[in-house]
Amino acid sequence: INTRSVEKSKSFAFASERDRPLLEKTLLPRSKGFESVIDLLNEHSEYPPEIFDVTMNFDGYSGEIPTWEMGYTRNVDVLVPTINTFIMGTAASRCHLDSRKFTYSEV
């Protein structure tokens, strides 16, 4: 049995049920992969892992999510940076960071 194809089919089923895109290189839900990585780190590390939740907020962001139909470009939130705007130096000049730290036992 090819476990990768089994996981991929489960991921596609999960995405289809929730009207989410079918991702070729990422499995959904992502929480299971996260749990696996954290458990492995905990098993093979001298110290328990710490998890950092970091959120970046940009001025004027309305929550727009680019879609396939939009060509993955933004119509409203044009100041939200992309790799291209970073490279070209035209990205938004202000960014707000919110962060939280969790221990392995909290997760």
Side-chain angles (χ1 to χ4, degrees):
I1 294 177
N2 181 345
T3 56
R4 178 75 178 152
S5 64
V6 170
E7 288 301 316
K8 194 172 195 177
S9 67
K10 287 180 182 178
S11 175
F12 279 10
F14 179 88
S16 295
E17 290 170 6
R18 289 159 180 81
D19 199 27
R20 301 282 306 270
L22 302 179
L23 305 174
E24 290 290 330
K25 304 214 184 276
T26 303
L27 298 178
L28 290 173
R30 294 179 185 170
S31 59
K32 288 185 181 183
F34 175 76
E35 282 181 40
S36 298
V37 169
I38 293 300
D39 288 342
L40 281 171
L41 286 172
N42 189 50
E43 288 174 25
H44 299 286
S45 177
E46 186 177 342
Y47 303 101
E50 295 176 329
I51 299 94
F52 292 87
D53 173 19
V54 180
T55 303
M56 295 175 68
N57 297 314
F58 297 93
D59 288 340
Y61 179 57
S62 71
E64 177 184 41
I65 299 173
T67 63
W68 172 262
E69 293 80 19
M70 295 168 60
Y72 291 108
T73 59
R74 296 182 182 276
N75 298 326
V76 177
D77 297 324
V78 294
L79 293 179
V80 174
T82 65
I83 189 66
N84 291 339
T85 58
F86 274 121
I87 291 170
M88 300 301 288
T90 58
S93 59
R94 294 189 56 165
C95 172
H96 308 278
L97 291 176
D98 295 314
S99 64
R100 298 182 295 171
K101 177 180 165 183
F102 299 94
T103 63
Y104 178 76
S105 59
E106 291 176 301
V107 177

